[in-house]
Amino acid sequence: MGNEYIPLPDMEMGMNFDHAYPDRLGSICNVLVNRTWVNGNTPIITQAVGFQSSKVAKRRGREGKLPKGVVKIYGMHLEEASDVLTEIAAIDPGCTVNWIFNRSVIKKKRAFECAGDYVESDAINCENSDCITNHEEGRKKYHIVSKGPPLTARCHYCEREFEIVYR
């Protein structure tokens, strides 16, 4: 296999999550796939990893380039401050979100800038070790206090504020 070039299809309309940490692509895709979409059809979602990025290296505090991940949603847009974008911001706040129309980027923002007022996620844990959310399975609710960077949340149950750290 080696270093083969595999082109991704052109995107007429959709969204692109670029400069994502490769170890978080699976979680981002899970958020997208496990949603109910407007027309009931799940859009085509692709992910790619291994492209070199100086932005990812800078976010990790390193020189040079490191591998980045890309997730694409074909044919649909998500609204800013939607629950989906807020959860993605909690998973990888520094990734770039691009809205694409007619094969051109019409809007570009960092994920943390797209966060809504609250997030429900099973990928975030409250920093209070005694909080009930750390002892129960399922999605937990957090209020976004500061859209950062860093992204800061307040636990809906114990009201402790903390910087969101993906686990």
Side-chain angles (χ1 to χ4, degrees):
M1 248 166 109
N3 293 329
E4 291 182 43
Y5 173 73
I6 302 172
L8 294 173
D10 278 345
M11 184 181 294
E12 181 69 32
M13 182 186 100
M15 294 186 75
N16 178 349
F17 299 89
D18 198 3
H19 301 286
Y21 290 142
D23 59 337
R24 299 184 184 175
L25 285 183
S27 295
I28 291 172
C29 286
N30 282 340
V31 167
L32 296 170
V33 170
N34 294 324
R35 291 291 181 233
T36 303
W37 294 88
V38 176
N39 61 4
N41 298 327
T42 302
I44 297 171
I45 299 170
T46 62
Q47 70 176 10
V49 69
F51 307 105
Q52 297 297 305
S53 169
S54 57
K55 287 184 181 181
V56 171
K58 185 176 178 182
R59 287 174 56 204
R60 297 260 189 199
R62 297 190 183 159
E63 297 288 325
K65 294 184 176 187
L66 287 175
K68 72 172 181 173
V70 177
V71 176
K72 292 186 174 192
I73 306 172
Y74 290 84
M76 292 190 182
H77 286 150
L78 296 169
E79 295 295 321
E80 282 188 60
S82 68
D83 60 335
V84 176
L85 279 182
T86 304
E87 190 168 356
I88 290 171
I91 292 169
D92 192 349
C95 75
T96 304
V97 183
N98 299 299
W99 285 262
I100 298 167
F101 189 73
N102 287 336
R103 295 192 170 110
S104 297
V105 175
I106 59 171
K107 185 170 28 171
K108 178 185 272 195
K109 290 191 170 193
R110 301 283 294 279
F112 68 83
E113 296 172 309
C114 302
D117 294 332
Y118 73 94
V119 61
E120 289 187 35
S121 176
D122 56 2
I124 305 167
N125 291 323
C126 180
E127 286 188 354
N128 179 359
S129 60
D130 295 329
C131 182
I132 189 79
T133 62
N134 292 323
H135 305 288
E136 292 185 351
E137 294 294 319
R139 301 171 67 77
K140 296 117 184 160
K141 186 174 180 177
Y142 302 93
H143 301 274
I144 303 300
V145 177
S146 169
K147 295 184 182 175
L151 198 62
T152 306
R154 183 178 61 247
C155 179
H156 179 74
Y157 302 96
C158 74
E159 298 189 351
R160 172 150 319 164
E161 287 188 16
F162 59 96
E163 291 179 11
I164 292 180
V165 177
Y166 176 79
R167 299 174 203 262

